[in-house]
Amino acid sequence: MSSAADLIARFEGFRETPYWDVNALRAGYGSDTVTLADGRVVPVSSGITVSREDAARDLDRRISREFQPSVVNALGQDAYNALSPDQQSVLTSLAYNYGAGAWNKGLRSVAAAVKTPGTEDDIAAIRALGGHNGGINAKRRNAEADLYAGGGQTYGGSSGPEPAPGFDPSAYLAMLEQRAQGQQQDRAWQRATTHTPLRTTDITNALAAPQAQFYGDWLRG
């Protein structure tokens, strides 16, 4: 398995028989599908037994076709290439846990942080996700944050240092969401003022940008 697959397998654990999780039957390494030796992909169903080989094959397939591409799409190829293999694996693990479509939802704050210089915000954003779903995955998020930072921690051992006293995950996520919104507005304003073809969302974001508000106030004044 790839390094990302190995990391995810450590977090998810292996189960050869199906179990219900959130909205589907899952088995293997937390997947609702199984990839057989002949390449066929079949859904997990009651009564089946999943081998480690089939589960590993399924995990590799989904990482290469779903989850790593989702990270690249969220960050851009250059930003993704600039990350270390461990950092790429951590972001792939987040996508696997949250879903490939979560980069504009639950993982939006992480994407915004990774796009900014330095890694402190990235690490804090990953750790802050530990407050989601009642903190059920807080230990996993701490381990991912440590690995992203270069601590080399693995799930099942020490989860690394705890967040600093007084650290408020909700407030931190809100700050990162606000930053992400500001970045979208800045990009939309730049496209609007350089005659770059605009999308509907660009128009909305450009009108909400501080620059637009400034010029509106100036014209009215």
Coordinates of all heavy atoms in Angstrom, one line a residue, residues 103-144:
W103 N -14.0 19.5 0.9 CA -13.1 20.6 0.9 C -13.7 21.9 0.8 O -13.1 23.0 1.1 CB -12.0 20.4 -0.3 CG -11.1 19.3 0.0 CD1 -11.2 18.0 -0.6 CD2 -10.1 19.2 1.0 NE1 -10.2 17.2 0.0 CE2 -9.5 17.9 0.9 CE3 -9.6 20.1 1.9 CZ2 -8.5 17.5 1.7 CZ3 -8.5 19.7 2.7 CH2 -8.0 18.4 2.6
N104 N -15.0 22.0 0.4 CA -15.8 23.2 0.4 C -16.7 23.2 1.5 O -17.6 24.1 1.6 CB -16.5 23.4 -0.9 CG -15.6 23.7 -2.1 OD1 -14.7 24.4 -2.0 ND2 -15.9 23.1 -3.3
K105 N -16.6 22.2 2.4 CA -17.5 22.1 3.6 C -16.7 22.0 4.8 O -16.1 23.0 5.3 CB -18.5 21.0 3.4 CG -19.3 21.1 2.1 CD -20.1 19.8 1.9 CE -20.9 19.9 0.5 NZ -21.6 18.6 0.2
G106 N -16.7 20.8 5.4 CA -16.0 20.6 6.7 C -14.5 20.8 6.7 O -13.9 21.1 7.7
L107 N -13.9 20.6 5.5 CA -12.4 20.8 5.4 C -12.0 22.1 4.8 O -10.8 22.3 4.5 CB -11.8 19.6 4.6 CG -12.0 18.2 5.2 CD1 -11.4 17.2 4.2 CD2 -11.3 18.2 6.5
R108 N -12.9 23.0 4.6 CA -12.6 24.3 4.0 C -11.6 25.1 4.7 O -10.7 25.7 4.1 CB -13.9 25.1 3.9 CG -13.8 26.5 3.2 CD -15.1 27.2 3.1 NE -14.9 28.5 2.6 CZ -15.9 29.4 2.5 NH1 -17.1 29.1 2.9 NH2 -15.7 30.6 2.0
S109 N -11.7 25.0 6.1 CA -10.7 25.8 6.9 C -9.3 25.3 6.7 O -8.3 26.0 6.7 CB -11.1 25.7 8.3 OG -11.1 24.4 8.8
V110 N -9.1 23.9 6.5 CA -7.8 23.4 6.3 C -7.3 23.8 5.0 O -6.1 24.2 4.8 CB -7.9 21.8 6.4 CG1 -6.5 21.2 6.1 CG2 -8.3 21.4 7.8
A111 N -8.1 23.7 3.9 CA -7.7 24.1 2.6 C -7.2 25.6 2.6 O -6.2 25.9 2.0 CB -8.8 23.9 1.6
A112 N -7.9 26.4 3.3 CA -7.6 27.9 3.4 C -6.2 28.0 4.1 O -5.4 28.8 3.6 CB -8.7 28.7 4.1
A113 N -6.0 27.3 5.1 CA -4.8 27.4 5.9 C -3.6 26.9 5.1 O -2.5 27.5 5.1 CB -4.9 26.6 7.2
V114 N -3.7 25.8 4.4 CA -2.6 25.2 3.6 C -2.2 26.2 2.5 O -1.0 26.2 2.1 CB -3.0 23.8 3.1 CG1 -1.9 23.3 2.2 CG2 -3.3 22.9 4.2
K115 N -3.1 26.9 2.0 CA -2.8 27.9 0.9 C -2.0 29.1 1.3 O -1.6 29.8 0.5 CB -4.1 28.3 0.2 CG -4.8 27.2 -0.6 CD -6.1 27.7 -1.2 CE -6.9 26.6 -1.9 NZ -8.2 27.0 -2.5
T116 N -1.9 29.3 2.6 CA -1.2 30.4 3.1 C 0.2 30.0 3.5 O 0.4 28.8 3.8 CB -1.9 31.1 4.4 OG1 -2.0 30.1 5.4 CG2 -3.3 31.5 4.0
P117 N 1.2 30.9 3.5 CA 2.6 30.6 3.9 C 2.7 30.0 5.3 O 1.9 30.4 6.2 CB 3.3 31.9 3.7 CG 2.5 32.7 2.8 CD 1.1 32.3 3.1
G118 N 3.6 29.1 5.5 CA 3.9 28.5 6.8 C 3.0 27.4 7.1 O 2.0 27.1 6.4
T119 N 3.3 26.7 8.2 CA 2.5 25.5 8.5 C 1.8 25.6 9.8 O 1.0 24.7 10.2 CB 3.4 24.2 8.6 OG1 4.4 24.4 9.6 CG2 4.1 23.9 7.2
E120 N 2.0 26.6 10.6 CA 1.4 26.7 11.9 C -0.1 26.8 11.8 O -0.8 26.1 12.6 CB 1.9 28.0 12.6 CG 3.3 27.9 13.1 CD 3.7 29.1 14.0 OE1 2.8 30.0 14.2 OE2 4.9 29.2 14.3
D121 N -0.7 27.5 10.8 CA -2.1 27.6 10.7 C -2.6 26.2 10.2 O -3.7 25.8 10.6 CB -2.5 28.7 9.7 CG -2.4 30.1 10.3 OD1 -2.3 30.2 11.5 OD2 -2.5 31.0 9.5
D122 N -1.9 25.6 9.3 CA -2.3 24.2 8.8 C -2.5 23.3 10.0 O -3.5 22.6 10.1 CB -1.3 23.6 7.9 CG -0.8 24.6 6.8 OD1 -1.2 25.8 6.8 OD2 0.0 24.1 5.9
I123 N -1.5 23.2 10.8 CA -1.5 22.3 12.0 C -2.6 22.6 12.9 O -3.4 21.7 13.4 CB -0.1 22.4 12.7 CG1 1.0 21.9 11.8 CG2 -0.2 21.5 14.0 CD1 2.4 22.3 12.2
A124 N -2.8 23.9 13.2 CA -3.9 24.3 14.1 C -5.2 24.0 13.5 O -6.2 23.6 14.2 CB -3.8 25.8 14.5
A125 N -5.4 24.2 12.2 CA -6.7 23.9 11.6 C -7.0 22.4 11.6 O -8.2 22.1 11.8 CB -6.6 24.4 10.1
I126 N -6.0 21.6 11.4 CA -6.2 20.2 11.5 C -6.6 19.8 12.9 O -7.6 19.0 13.1 CB -5.0 19.4 11.0 CG1 -4.7 19.6 9.5 CG2 -5.1 17.9 11.3 CD1 -3.4 19.2 9.0
R127 N -5.9 20.3 13.9 CA -6.2 20.0 15.3 C -7.6 20.5 15.7 O -8.3 19.8 16.4 CB -5.1 20.6 16.2 CG -4.9 19.8 17.5 CD -3.8 20.4 18.3 NE -2.5 20.4 17.7 CZ -1.7 19.4 17.7 NH1 -2.1 18.2 18.2 NH2 -0.5 19.4 17.2
A128 N -8.0 21.6 15.1 CA -9.3 22.2 15.5 C -10.4 21.3 15.0 O -11.5 21.4 15.6 CB -9.4 23.6 14.9
L129 N -10.2 20.5 14.0 CA -11.3 19.6 13.5 C -11.6 18.6 14.6 O -12.7 18.0 14.5 CB -10.8 18.9 12.2 CG -10.5 19.8 11.0 CD1 -10.0 18.9 9.9 CD2 -11.8 20.5 10.6
G130 N -10.8 18.4 15.6 CA -11.1 17.4 16.6 C -12.3 17.7 17.4 O -12.9 16.9 18.1
G131 N -12.8 19.0 17.3 CA -14.1 19.3 18.0 C -15.3 18.9 17.2 O -16.4 19.0 17.8
H132 N -15.2 18.5 16.0 CA -16.3 18.0 15.2 C -16.9 16.7 15.8 O -16.2 15.9 16.3 CB -15.9 17.8 13.7 CG -15.7 19.1 13.0 ND1 -15.3 19.1 11.7 CD2 -15.8 20.4 13.4 CE1 -15.2 20.4 11.3 NE2 -15.4 21.1 12.3
N133 N -18.2 16.6 15.6 CA -18.9 15.4 16.0 C -18.7 15.0 17.4 O -18.5 13.8 17.7 CB -18.5 14.2 15.0 CG -18.9 14.5 13.6 OD1 -20.0 15.0 13.3 ND2 -18.1 14.1 12.7
G134 N -18.7 16.0 18.3 CA -18.6 15.7 19.7 C -17.2 15.2 20.1 O -17.0 14.7 21.2
G135 N -16.2 15.5 19.2 CA -14.8 15.1 19.6 C -14.5 13.7 19.4 O -13.5 13.2 19.9
I136 N -15.3 12.9 18.6 CA -15.1 11.5 18.5 C -13.8 11.2 17.8 O -13.2 10.1 18.1 CB -16.3 10.8 17.7 CG1 -16.2 9.3 17.8 CG2 -16.3 11.3 16.3 CD1 -17.4 8.6 17.3
N137 N -13.3 12.1 16.9 CA -12.1 11.8 16.2 C -10.9 12.7 16.7 O -10.0 13.0 15.9 CB -12.3 11.9 14.7 CG -13.0 10.8 14.1 OD1 -12.7 9.6 14.5 ND2 -14.0 11.0 13.3
A138 N -11.0 13.3 17.9 CA -10.0 14.2 18.4 C -8.6 13.6 18.4 O -7.7 14.2 18.1 CB -10.4 14.8 19.7
K139 N -8.6 12.4 18.9 CA -7.3 11.7 18.9 C -6.7 11.5 17.5 O -5.4 11.8 17.3 CB -7.4 10.3 19.6 CG -6.1 9.7 19.9 CD -6.3 8.4 20.7 CE -4.9 7.7 20.9 NZ -5.1 6.4 21.7
R140 N -7.5 11.2 16.6 CA -7.0 11.0 15.2 C -6.5 12.4 14.7 O -5.5 12.5 14.0 CB -8.1 10.4 14.3 CG -7.7 10.3 12.9 CD -8.8 9.5 12.1 NE -8.4 9.5 10.7 CZ -9.1 8.7 9.8 NH1 -10.1 7.9 10.2 NH2 -8.8 8.7 8.5
R141 N -7.3 13.4 14.9 CA -6.9 14.7 14.4 C -5.6 15.2 15.0 O -4.8 15.8 14.3 CB -8.0 15.8 14.7 CG -9.4 15.5 14.0 CD -9.4 15.7 12.5 NE -9.0 14.5 11.8 CZ -9.9 13.6 11.4 NH1 -11.2 13.7 11.7 NH2 -9.6 12.5 10.7
N142 N -5.4 15.0 16.3 CA -4.1 15.3 16.9 C -3.0 14.6 16.3 O -1.9 15.1 16.1 CB -4.2 15.0 18.5 CG -4.9 16.2 19.2 OD1 -4.9 17.3 18.8 ND2 -5.5 15.8 20.4
A143 N -3.2 13.3 16.1 CA -2.1 12.5 15.5 C -1.8 12.9 14.1 O -0.6 13.0 13.7 CB -2.5 11.0 15.4
E144 N -2.8 13.3 13.3 CA -2.6 13.8 12.0 C -1.9 15.2 12.0 O -1.0 15.4 11.2 CB -4.0 14.0 11.2 CG -4.6 12.7 10.8 CD -6.1 12.8 10.5 OE1 -6.7 13.7 10.9 OE2 -6.6 11.9 9.7

